[in-house]
Amino acid sequence: MTAKAIMFMGTGSDVGKSLIVAGLARVFANRGINCAPFKPQNMSNNASATPEGGEIGRAQALQARAARALPSLHMNPILLKPESETGAQVIVQGKREATLSARAFFKQRSAYMPAILDSFAKLAAAHDLILIEGAGSPAETNLRDGDLANMGFAAAADVPVIIIGDIHRGGVIASLVGTAAVLDNDDRNRIKGFLINKFHGDPQLFDEGNLEIVKRTGWTSLGVIPHFAKASSLPAEDAVALDAIAKPVAGKLSICVFRLPRIANFDDMDPLRLESGVSLSFVLAGEALPGGCDLAIIPGSKSTLADLAYFRAQGWDVDLYAHVRRGGHVLGLCGGYQILGRRIHDLDGLESIPTSVDGLGLLDVETVMAAEKTVALTSARHVQSGEGISAYEIHLGKTFGPDCQRPFARLKRGNDGAISANGKITGTYLHGCFEADGFRRAYLKGLGHNTCGLAYDHLIEQTLDELAAHLEAHVDVDAILNLAKPVTVTAHV
């Protein structure tokens, strides 16, 4: 059977492309269709490891789960992980290739199209249906020449497109009609239909709006999707989602997370956020660590040295030392673990100029940055509780020192992490560790909180099923399936 493919683009960022692709993946998986997600180019510091030892965007890992497929490095062949305002680490088919400025990447980006098409062809050879997600908006026509993420890929792979508009932010008619107006004829004709997302109220109230869009664009209306409130239970791709997280709630176990500028893998906190009896909040720029905080977390970072400097500039080091003196607990995840140590050595200038800097000194460890990146799915056992953990690692550098003699977890290949002599400061490289219900309950119990039994994996599966049912009820799924076109691209890298 020849695989078919269809691409979903948006009138802008954060219109719900990732969520809709995930929901449709579960719809088609429920119908017995062997489908897979694909995003040619992604920009995100929220990444996930794959069984091949590569890394892809977290959204594609969730979409793979929705499709009941193993995540693959070919599902997101180009991943850009911002390290500064003007530069990013370039991940090609799961592996770190270079760190480039935005200008340098744009200058040579067309050179990455063969790898993208190769990954697309490999997925098509193993699946019956490929659901492709664009990035940003195809209406950014100034980026069309050499484009990898939207119409550039759609044209190269000759795939049809459905475009998504977000009615919640307003101006959805103008955004869709305006997109049609600025595209050239070939790109405009590639779009076969549109979806309206995040509608509040009675969808029939938009009937006239739908007709207006059809009249002005010639595209088919494929559905008006009401707001899906339970989306907040699923891992988010963009850090903008963190802005909606509430402030501390009195009477609950208070967990406070420092909002680093280059925060990475922030979905590590999702299982904690969803626990009843837990109040998880982010400490933002210009804010102090609340005095009633029970656990302070320094999360992962795409640029540890830059975020350490930012941490000090905010005065958060002073806040954290006071928190420790009060007997509070501290957890460092990946880059946060490195920040907690005595010293960080970047002798090869992997993050900046060659340098060594003092860390916060709350753990008696040091980190040496290394060019070889650790990317792996990991099974471990938490030392203090004996509970099993399924997690993943994505980091540059190796950490060592006396506090590593009190490891956080034991892996098949050795130990992970470090714990201070008083047991209140902990560091680990294990992303996703709190998804393990038994470990999470034991860890929170150690902070004096008895959980009410959140089953995190069950919640994610239930939410994906409910999302699929939501789309089935409001989208012409059969029409989307009929619009999908046979894949003609073959692997050639």
Side-chain angles (χ1 to χ4, degrees):
M1 178 178 176
T2 301
K4 292 185 176 182
I6 191 160
M7 189 167 187
F8 297 82
M9 298 184 192
T11 56
S13 297
D14 199 36
V15 300
K17 298 186 296 293
S18 297
L19 188 71
I20 288 173
V21 169
L24 289 174
R26 179 53 60 94
V27 168
F28 294 128
N30 286 344
R31 294 186 177 191
I33 298 173
N34 179 14
C35 63
F38 182 74
K39 187 158 186 169
Q41 175 194 304
N42 196 356
M43 178 176 282
S44 177
N45 275 337
N46 228 25
S48 185
T50 71
E52 308 105 318
E55 56 181 310
I56 59 175
R58 188 68 184 83
Q60 280 62 67
L62 178 66
Q63 291 162 354
R65 177 173 183 166
R68 299 193 179 95
L70 286 176
S72 166
L73 57 87
H74 295 298
M75 292 174 177
N76 177 203
I78 304 297
L79 174 61
L80 306 177
K81 305 183 77 173
E83 293 182 334
S84 68
E85 293 299 319
T86 58
Q89 192 178 109
V90 182
I91 310 296
V92 180
Q93 292 185 323
K95 302 297 183 184
R96 176 179 179 268
E97 182 173 283
T99 294
L100 297 176
S101 67
R103 182 171 298 182
F105 176 77
F106 273 90
K107 185 177 180 180
Q108 66 184 61
R109 61 180 176 157
S110 60
Y112 294 110
M113 184 61 86
I116 290 174
L117 293 175
D118 175 66
S119 286
F120 179 59
K122 284 182 166 65
L123 280 185
H127 298 85
D128 299 327
L129 177 66
I130 311 299
L131 302 176
I132 309 161
E133 180 187 344
S137 168
E140 296 161 342
T141 53
N142 56 309
L143 305 178
R144 177 61 176 89
D145 186 25
D147 171 58
L148 306 175
N150 291 304
M151 286 300 181
F153 171 79
D158 191 22
V159 293
V161 173
I162 292 170
I163 192 157
I164 301 166
D166 177 1
I167 197 169
H168 181 67
R169 64 179 61 186
V172 72
I173 295 175
S175 65
L176 285 163
V177 174
T179 297
V182 300
L183 295 177
D184 65 28
N185 286 335
D186 287 344
D187 286 348
R188 182 168 55 252
N189 291 336
R190 194 169 291 283
I191 299 176
K192 304 303 180 184
F194 65 92
L195 290 165
I196 303 296
N197 195 27
K198 304 181 187 178
F199 193 89
H200 292 262
D202 182 356
Q204 290 185 343
L205 294 176
F206 194 68
D207 285 351
E208 291 186 10
N210 254 333
L211 292 174
E212 184 74 9
I213 296 169
V214 171
K215 176 182 175 181
R216 290 179 177 271
T217 65
W219 301 333
T220 300
S221 173
L222 295 167
V224 177
I225 306 170
H227 172 65
F228 183 68
K230 291 187 177 181
S232 61
S233 297
L234 298 173
E237 179 178 35
D238 297 318
V240 67
L242 303 182
D243 297 338
I245 293 180
K247 293 301 178 185
V249 177
K252 294 187 175 184
L253 180 79
S254 176
I255 300 177
C256 301
V257 184
F258 294 101
R259 176 69 155 82
L260 304 176
R262 298 160 190 85
I263 188 170
N265 300 87
F266 51 82
D267 59 309
D268 283 341
M269 269 59 73
D270 282 356
L272 297 173
R273 173 176 61 85
L274 295 168
E275 278 282 2
S276 61
V278 170
S279 169
L280 186 139
S281 60
F282 280 80
V283 184
L284 306 181
E287 296 180 349
L289 179 67
C293 174
D294 297 299
L295 170 66
I297 297 179
I298 306 179
S301 166
K302 190 63 210 69
S303 186
T304 301
L305 296 179
D307 276 345
L308 172 57
Y310 179 88
F311 195 95
R312 287 193 167 110
Q314 294 297 316
W316 288 340
D317 54 338
V318 177
D319 291 350
L320 193 61
Y321 293 143
H323 170 77
V324 171
R325 287 195 299 271
R326 291 192 296 267
H329 290 258
V330 180
L331 173 66
L333 296 168
C334 200
Y337 171 28
Q338 296 172 343
I339 286 172
L340 286 175
R342 287 187 290 106
R343 195 95 173 141
I344 302 172
H345 308 279
D346 186 11
L347 304 180
D348 295 325
L350 297 172
E351 290 194 359
S352 62
I353 60 172
T355 188
S356 290
V357 301
D358 288 334
L360 299 180
L362 291 173
L363 283 175
D364 192 3
V365 297
E366 297 188 28
T367 297
V368 176
M369 297 297 187
E372 184 177 354
K373 192 172 191 178
T374 299
V375 181
L377 296 173
T378 302
S379 294
R381 190 158 298 280
H382 182 230
V383 172
Q384 292 180 324
S385 67
E387 293 287 347
I389 297 172
S390 293
Y392 63 97
E393 298 176 71
I394 301 178
H395 61 90
L396 290 172
K398 297 186 182 298
T399 301
F400 57 91
D403 281 350
C404 291
Q405 297 302 310
R406 290 178 293 274
F408 171 77
R410 300 197 191 280
L411 290 63
K412 287 183 179 179
R413 68 172 188 272
N415 294 334
D416 162 80
I419 300 175
S420 63
N422 67 1
K424 295 199 170 184
I425 318 292
T426 301
T428 177
Y429 278 121
L430 299 185
H431 288 296
C433 58
F434 287 111
E435 293 183 22
D437 295 333
F439 160 69
R440 186 180 65 255
R441 291 167 190 155
Y443 185 86
L444 292 176
K445 186 175 181 180
L447 299 175
H449 175 72
N450 290 316
T451 69
C452 294
L454 168 69
Y456 184 72
D457 277 349
H458 174 74
L459 174 64
I460 297 300
E461 286 298 311
Q462 182 182 49
T463 304
L464 287 171
D465 283 335
E466 291 180 14
L467 173 60
H470 185 72
L471 294 183
E472 286 266 28
H474 299 286
V475 172
D476 192 342
V477 175
D478 291 329
I480 290 175
L481 194 56
N482 289 334
L483 286 171
K485 186 176 179 179
V487 174
T488 58
V489 175
T490 56
H492 63 282
V493 169

